[in-house]
Amino acid sequence: MKPGGSSGRLHALRFESQRFRLLTIVVGCFLISLTFLLSSRPDATVFSTLNPRESLEDARMPAMKMLHRSSSAGLTRDFHVDILPQQGDRDTHAHLQQSVDQTAEKTEWVKDTVIIQEVAGERSEEAEEAAERVAADSGDEAAPAVVADEDNAVKTTATVATTARPDQPLVEEKKKQQLPVKLQDAGEPARTPEQTVTSHSVDRRPLCDFSDFRTDICDFSGDVRMAANTSEFVVVVDPAAAAAASHKVRPYPRKGDATCMGRVTEITVRTTGDAAGAPRCTRAHGVPAVAFSIGGYTGNIFHDFSDVIVPLYNTVQRYRGGVQLVMANVASWWLVKYDKLLRELSRHAPIDLAKAGAAGEVHCFPSAVVSLRAHRELIIERERSLDGLATPDFTRFLRRALSLPRDAPTRLGDGTGRRPRLLVISRGRTRLLLNLDAVVRAAEEVGFEVVVNESDVGNSIEQVGKLINSCDALLGVHGAGLTNMMFLPPGATMVQVVPWGGLQWIARMDYGEPAAAMGLNYIQYEIAVTESSLKDKYPAGDEIFTNPTGLHKRGFAFMKQTLMDGQDITIDVTRFRPVLQQALHNLAAK
C-alpha cells in the first residue's frame, strides 16, 4: 500500500468526519430551537403530519396546533404554533383559511396562528432566529394572568398580537379587549376566553341619573343587595369592568323642595368589588325591586297621585306585577287607602324599609330602581316613558283596578232622556264657594243633574272613584279635590274655578294640562276681584290687586297663605252661566 493512498483515505475520513460533525451541529441547533419554541408554550401540542388542504377543517378548530411537512424541490417544514386563546369568530376562520393557502416560501403571521417556514439547507440560523423571536414574543405576554377573588381564582390568558402585515388591523383591537376578568360573586363558573370578550360589553351607564328637574333616579342590575338597616343598595361588581361609585338619593319627585325632601329618607346606592365584604343576604328575591318614599307631601290626594301613584305606575308597569315594592317613610293608613292600586301593581307584599332595617334584614335582587320616573304633574309623557306609556293608560289602569264601569259620559240626545250629571266639589275649610246654592241652581237650570260632595282624605278611594265615575262633569275651586277628575270617563268635562291673584299658570299646570292629557274637556274660569273675599281685607290700591303676580316672588308659602287659603269666592252666577252652558254643550251627541 502506498503512503499517498493511505494519506488520501485519511484525508477523506477527516473530511467526512467534519461534515458529519457539521450536520450534527445543524440538526442539534434545529432541535434545540424547536424544543425551546414548543416549551415556551406548554399548551402548544404537535399534531400529526397533514396536507394543508386536507387539514382545512382541522384548522378551523380553535385549539389546533400542528406540525406539517411537505416536499417540493427540497424539504420544507411548516411549524403552525397557536400562541393566542381560541376565538372561534369569523375573522379567525378567514385568517386560518388564508394561512393554509400560502406558498411554502413565505413567513405568515395570523391572528390565532404563527406560521414559521424553513427551507432545508438554506441558512438554518434564520429559522433559529425566527424561532427565538417567537419564543421571546410569546413567552412573557402569553403567560397566564391570575386574577384573585375572595372565593374563587380565575385564570385567563392575555392576548398576544404580533403582526408583520399592515392588513391585520383587528389584531391590536382584540388585544385591548381581552383583559383578565374577575368573578362577580362566589359560585359563578369560570369564564372562557370567548366569555372574557363578551363580559366587557356590559352596560356602562352611570348608576344614577341626576339630570331630571323633578327626580333623581338610580337604575342598576346584577348582584344587588339591600341592607335595610343602613338604607343602602350595594351592587357587587367586577372591579376590572367598572369603577367604584357611591350616590345618595332621596326617592321622591320633589327635587329642590327642601321642606318636602327633608321628610324623605335618604338612600345610598354604591358599588363594591369586594363580594365577601358586601352585606350577606337574608332573603333572595327573583324579581326586581323598586324603592321609593311615601313621605314628602303625601296625605294630600294631589300629591298622593302626582308624587307617588302616577310615577309608580310609570315605573313598574313593565314588570306586570312581578316586582317588589320597597317603601320608605311608610304610613299604615296610606297603605290601607291605596291597597287595591298597590295590589294591581305588585303581586308581592311591600317591604317597609324601616321595619326591615330594625330586623337587620338584607334583601337581594337581580336588579333595582331607586326613586320613581316622574314627568309633569299627574301626567305621563309617552315620548319620555321607557315603555311608551301615557296618561290615558294610567286612567284605564285606575278604572280597571277599582272596577269603575264607565269609559264614556252620558251624551245629550242619545235617546235615553237622562240628564248629564255634574259633581260640585265643596271645600270645607279654605277657598269656599260662599254662594254654592246659587251655583247649583244655575247648573240645574242649564240642564245638569247636580251632586255636591266634599272630598276628604279619609274617604275610601273605591267609593270616591265610583262616585266620580258616575258623573259627566266636575266643578271645583282650584285645589287637591280636582285630582278626582282622573276617575271621570274620557270625554267628560272638568271646570276649574281659579282664585284671584295671578294663579292662572299654576291652575293650568296642576289640573288644566293633566285634564287634557286624560282626554277630558277642560274649562278654566278665572274670577274677578269683585268675586274674591280679598276685596274686604285689603284697600283698593293694594299691590294684591294692582300687581298680584309680583307677590309670587315672596315664595310659594306666601302665595298659598295669602292668595289660596286666604280667600273665599262668591261666583257671579250671571258671568258664570256661559261656562255651565259650555260644559253641557261638550256632552252633545257626536
Side-chain angles (χ1 to χ4, degrees):
M1 179 180 296
K2 294 182 181 180
S6 175
S7 174
R9 284 194 299 273
L10 181 60
H11 179 72
L13 288 173
R14 288 175 179 173
F15 181 75
E16 290 296 327
S17 177
Q18 291 175 355
R19 291 180 59 187
F20 179 78
R21 286 197 299 270
L22 179 60
L23 180 59
T24 301
I25 292 172
V26 170
V27 173
C29 290
F30 173 76
L31 292 176
I32 291 172
S33 299
L34 177 59
T35 302
F36 182 81
L37 171 64
L38 297 179
S39 64
S40 65
R41 278 294 301 270
D43 59 343
T45 305
V46 179
F47 281 72
S48 60
T49 300
L50 296 171
N51 182 279
R53 297 289 181 182
E54 294 172 349
S55 62
L56 177 57
E57 290 302 320
D58 293 324
R60 288 175 177 162
M61 298 171 60
M64 172 68 75
K65 292 92 180 176
M66 64 183 177
L67 172 65
H68 170 64
R69 290 188 178 89
S70 63
S71 60
S72 60
L75 290 176
T76 303
R77 290 187 291 274
D78 298 350
F79 299 94
H80 296 243
V81 185
D82 178 18
I83 64 168
L84 300 183
Q86 55 184 348
Q87 299 299 319
D89 59 358
R90 295 180 180 176
D91 291 338
T92 301
H93 295 166
H95 286 304
L96 288 173
Q97 172 70 65
Q98 186 180 34
S99 71
V100 261
D101 287 342
Q102 299 301 317
T103 64
E105 300 290 334
K106 298 180 180 179
T107 298
E108 190 69 38
W109 298 82
V110 201
K111 183 169 65 173
D112 283 351
T113 305
V114 177
I115 306 172
I116 306 172
Q117 299 181 337
E118 175 204 353
V119 179
E122 294 185 359
R123 297 176 62 184
S124 61
E125 292 82 6
E126 293 180 4
E128 188 174 337
E129 291 174 2
E132 290 175 354
R133 285 197 301 271
V134 173
D137 290 341
S138 63
D140 295 333
E141 292 184 46
V146 180
V147 183
D149 191 22
E150 297 296 332
D151 301 307
N152 297 278
V154 182
K155 295 183 179 181
T156 59
T157 305
T159 298
V160 179
T162 308
T163 180
R165 294 179 53 186
D167 58 345
Q168 304 287 341
L170 294 178
V171 177
E172 283 297 327
E173 187 63 28
K174 290 288 184 178
K175 177 178 179 179
K176 294 176 183 177
Q177 292 179 5
Q178 302 189 35
L179 301 172
V181 174
K182 182 177 178 179
L183 290 180
Q184 292 191 4
D185 197 4
E188 181 178 340
R191 296 187 178 107
T192 64
E194 291 90 346
Q195 291 170 323
T196 299
V197 177
T198 304
S199 68
H200 284 280
S201 60
V202 296
D203 187 352
R204 293 181 177 273
R205 292 179 304 170
L207 283 174
C208 303
D209 180 4
F210 300 98
S211 63
D212 190 82
F213 76 98
R214 282 200 69 184
T215 183
D216 295 331
I217 189 164
C218 303
D219 189 345
F220 42 91
S221 59
D223 183 354
V224 179
R225 310 181 188 188
M226 184 191 78
N229 63 334
T230 56
S231 299
E232 67 175 353
F233 282 81
V234 181
V235 190
V236 180
V237 298
D238 180 351
S246 179
H247 304 290
K248 294 184 180 298
V249 175
R250 294 188 185 272
Y252 191 89
R254 288 288 162 188
K255 185 177 176 179
D257 187 330
T259 301
C260 173
M261 300 303 270
R263 304 169 184 170
V264 176
T265 296
E266 186 176 70
I267 293 179
T268 299
V269 178
R270 66 180 178 89
T271 61
T272 180
D274 180 10
R280 292 296 178 183
C281 305
T282 61
R283 183 179 175 187
H285 301 263
V287 296
V290 172
F292 58 98
S293 170
I294 54 175
Y297 290 141
T298 57
N300 170 297
I301 189 173
F302 172 78
H303 289 286
D304 288 347
F305 278 89
S306 189
D307 297 356
V308 179
I309 298 175
V310 174
L312 179 62
Y313 170 82
N314 184 37
T315 305
V316 308
Q317 180 61 18
R318 58 170 41 200
Y319 304 117
R320 301 294 188 268
V323 62
Q324 178 63 65
L325 305 182
V326 178
M327 299 182 182
N329 314 111
V330 171
S332 57
W333 67 264
W334 196 95
L335 297 180
V336 171
K337 181 171 184 176
Y338 296 108
D339 178 68
K340 278 200 171 182
L341 302 183
L342 296 175
R343 287 177 182 272
E344 285 292 317
L345 294 172
S346 172
R347 293 189 295 270
H348 307 277
I351 295 174
D352 182 332
L353 185 63
K355 287 184 178 179
E361 297 173 2
V362 176
H363 293 256
C364 295
F365 306 94
S367 63
V369 176
V370 174
S371 201
L372 302 175
R373 304 186 189 281
H375 298 163
R376 290 184 288 157
E377 306 289 13
L378 299 174
I379 291 176
I380 300 174
E381 298 175 333
R382 191 179 301 279
E383 62 274 14
R384 294 179 61 193
S385 172
L386 295 183
D387 304 297
L389 299 173
T391 310
D393 298 307
F394 174 73
T395 54
R396 278 193 294 271
F397 159 76
L398 278 183
R399 293 195 297 274
R400 182 181 71 251
L402 301 178
S403 301
L404 305 183
R406 300 207 310 158
D407 57 9
T410 299
R411 295 294 183 184
L412 292 174
D414 62 1
T416 63
R418 289 178 299 186
R419 303 178 74 184
R421 203 175 193 201
L422 170 67
L423 176 67
V424 180
I425 295 179
S426 173
R427 298 178 60 88
R429 292 179 294 276
T430 62
R431 280 164 273 166
L432 304 178
L433 268 178
L434 299 177
N435 62 336
L436 176 61
D437 291 343
V439 172
V440 170
R441 285 195 302 271
E444 290 175 338
E445 291 171 0
V446 165
F448 281 106
E449 176 191 343
V450 181
V451 178
V452 178
N453 180 264
E454 180 178 347
S455 178
D456 186 82
V457 68
N459 291 350
S460 162
I461 195 70
E462 294 95 329
Q463 293 177 350
V464 171
K466 288 177 180 177
L467 173 63
I468 304 295
N469 185 251
S470 71
C471 298
D472 307 294
L474 184 147
L475 164 65
V477 179
H478 174 79
L482 294 182
T483 307
N484 290 305
M485 66 183 173
M486 69 182 64
F487 303 118
L488 286 171
T493 296
M494 204 271 279
V495 179
Q496 177 175 201
V497 177
V498 183
W500 173 262
L503 301 176
Q504 297 90 337
W505 64 274
I506 193 171
R508 190 168 295 278
M509 178 182 69
D510 286 353
Y511 302 106
E513 293 173 359
M518 293 173 192
L520 304 175
N521 296 297
Y522 174 69
I523 301 174
Q524 183 162 302
Y525 178 77
E526 299 164 7
I527 72 169
V529 172
T530 55
E531 297 172 279
S532 171
S533 64
L534 293 175
K535 69 180 186 302
D536 302 323
K537 298 181 179 181
Y538 297 90
D542 193 272
E543 185 181 8
I544 203 169
F545 303 121
T546 60
N547 183 28
T549 56
L551 300 177
H552 296 184
K553 298 177 182 177
R554 301 188 187 182
F556 182 77
F558 177 84
M559 289 172 57
K560 186 175 188 302
Q561 179 181 0
T562 306
L563 300 175
M564 295 182 185
D565 297 345
Q567 68 174 309
D568 296 323
I569 296 167
T570 303
I571 287 183
D572 182 339
V573 175
T574 301
R575 181 171 179 256
F576 189 65
R577 187 178 297 273
V579 172
L580 294 172
Q581 292 172 335
Q582 180 62 51
L584 188 69
H585 178 73
N586 289 343
L587 297 171
K590 298 181 180 179

